[in-house]
Amino acid sequence: MGKRALITGLTGQDGSYLAELLLSKGYEVFGFVRRTSGDNTGRIRHLLDDITILDGDMIDLASMIRALDVALPDEIYNLAAQSFVGTSWTQPVSTTDFDALGTARLLEAVRLRMPDARVYQASSSEMFGKVREVPQTEDTPFHPRSPYGVSKVYSYWATVNYRESFDMYACNGILFNHESPRRGHEFVTRKISLAVAAIKAGRQESVKLGNLDAKRDWGFAGDYVKAMWLMLQQPVADDFVIATGEMHTVREFAELAFEHVGLAWQDHVVVEDALLRPAEVDLLLGDPSKAKAVLGWEPEVRFPELVAMMVDADMERVGADR
């Protein structure tokens, strides 16, 4: 009999790729999904016949306990979050309740109901914030620069605390930026790829961006969910940085995206001061040496391939002819 997995945040970018991976490995997959008035299953519509959806909410402990009682999971992947840094500035309290306290509720529910289950916590490179060293490793001190980053630091240490206090198998994946054609529209990479497609199709003239000099370590979400799975297959729970080890600016992403369809980015990008954040994270660059050595994990999709993949997908969506 195959393993059973419960995924929170199933309908998001990472949840959809992870569900595909686990199904391919013979898992029975359950998704913990918050009920909304609209259809939020777009990314997993092709999987609905193969997975079980359980209603619940990260702010409701009782719903978590019910989900665990039904799913009886061997592995739990906590991917649910208010994951947009910009929104965390306008909704800091709800971000904290969902991202930080939501993790605490889940860990407590697991301790009470499924203490032998293995737990993966989706931590973030945003925890490093105002970085103390370059590149960032598992030992780099945290200095978050947004309510989102602060909430993720809480979740990280809560996970470590439950591991050390209750002997639970709980680990953190400190994932650096990872993108795909399934990325949310509000994230800068998807904002750029969508704009490129729309501009090429003649539907808009320009795109407004904020800090073009922000530097990030961008990888492919499909690669990163493999690292999540590998973490829960180890004999001992541990925390890992997952990154490519390469850093690029927002300007570089835009340049490659527009170049991919034969356009010059300078003709279409407008810098909008209103899009600058109160406290900017200037650069993030991960060192994945530990993940490579212990997990045997390697990123497969490189930066230029990722940009082209996203632009091509959005070109197809809008029906643009390259």
Side-chain angles (χ1 to χ4, degrees):
M1 181 180 293
K3 291 182 179 179
R4 298 161 70 95
L6 176 66
I7 304 172
T8 73
L10 174 73
T11 59
Q13 168 189 254
D14 292 5
S16 65
Y17 281 112
L18 178 61
E20 289 175 346
L21 176 68
L22 295 180
L23 287 170
S24 74
K25 294 182 178 296
Y27 279 65
E28 186 172 355
V29 176
F30 297 81
F32 185 73
V33 177
R34 180 174 55 175
R35 180 63 59 191
T36 62
S37 58
D39 182 9
N40 63 345
T41 61
R43 296 184 181 94
I44 59 167
R45 193 165 293 128
H46 61 298
L47 304 175
L48 290 176
D49 291 339
D50 301 313
I51 58 181
T52 301
I53 303 294
L54 303 175
D55 290 342
D57 198 303
M58 296 300 290
I59 65 172
D60 183 29
L61 178 62
S63 69
M64 294 180 181
I65 291 174
R66 284 194 297 270
L68 291 172
D69 288 344
V70 173
L72 299 175
D74 301 288
E75 298 174 1
I76 300 161
Y77 297 84
N78 184 29
L79 311 185
Q82 189 297 101
S83 58
F84 186 47
V85 174
T87 297
S88 77
W89 285 108
T90 57
Q91 300 177 31
V93 176
S94 63
T95 297
T96 300
D97 196 6
F98 200 86
D99 293 7
L101 298 183
T103 300
R105 294 183 189 100
L106 179 62
L107 288 167
E108 184 63 5
V110 174
R111 184 182 74 85
L112 293 172
R113 279 296 200 271
M114 297 291 297
D116 293 329
R118 297 189 169 198
V119 180
Y120 169 85
Q121 168 60 27
S123 290
S124 168
S125 59
E126 289 288 330
M127 300 188 303
F128 296 120
K130 190 175 183 179
V131 299
R132 307 289 183 87
E133 62 182 2
V134 180
Q136 293 87 58
T137 72
E138 292 81 4
D139 298 320
T140 301
F142 300 138
H143 189 149
R145 299 269 281 173
S146 67
Y148 170 78
V150 171
S151 297
K152 283 295 187 178
V153 169
Y154 177 96
S155 294
Y156 174 93
W157 285 116
T159 302
V160 172
N161 184 251
Y162 270 74
R163 180 172 73 218
E164 295 177 348
S165 301
F166 304 113
D167 197 28
M168 288 171 53
Y169 192 109
C171 61
N172 287 285
I174 308 174
L175 271 59
F176 280 65
N177 293 64
H178 46 290
E179 320 295 316
S180 76
R182 301 178 191 175
R183 193 57 147 152
H185 294 192
E186 67 273 22
F187 291 88
V188 67
T189 52
R190 188 71 194 288
K191 184 177 181 180
I192 291 170
S193 65
L194 278 167
V196 167
I199 290 169
K200 186 65 176 180
R203 299 182 183 182
Q204 69 185 63
E205 292 295 325
S206 62
V207 58
K208 295 179 180 180
L209 301 177
N211 182 11
L212 298 182
D213 295 318
K215 299 175 182 177
R216 295 291 184 271
D217 184 328
W218 277 300
F220 173 51
D223 289 341
Y224 284 39
V225 299
K226 296 174 186 175
M228 298 177 190
W229 176 77
L230 285 168
M231 286 181 213
L232 295 195
Q233 313 313 308
Q234 304 308 306
V236 178
D238 204 352
D239 308 315
F240 294 89
V241 163
I242 304 301
T244 68
E246 298 179 7
M247 187 166 58
H248 301 275
T249 63
V250 173
R251 180 181 285 103
E252 287 178 78
F253 194 102
E255 181 178 3
L256 279 178
F258 278 98
E259 185 180 87
H260 188 61
V261 298
L263 297 174
W265 71 271
Q266 300 95 327
D267 296 336
H268 303 283
V269 172
V270 177
V271 176
E272 182 75 40
D273 289 343
L275 296 176
L276 299 176
R277 293 170 180 168
E280 183 61 82
V281 174
D282 295 319
L283 68 90
L284 293 172
L285 175 64
D287 179 358
S289 299
K290 181 179 175 181
K292 292 181 178 181
V294 177
L295 304 178
W297 177 83
E298 290 277 354
E300 298 178 15
V301 177
R302 312 313 301 187
F303 181 68
E305 299 172 75
L306 175 64
V307 177
M309 175 197 305
M310 295 179 67
V311 172
D312 286 342
D314 282 327
M315 290 280 285
E316 185 174 345
R317 285 188 179 97
V318 304
D321 184 358
R322 207 168 78 218

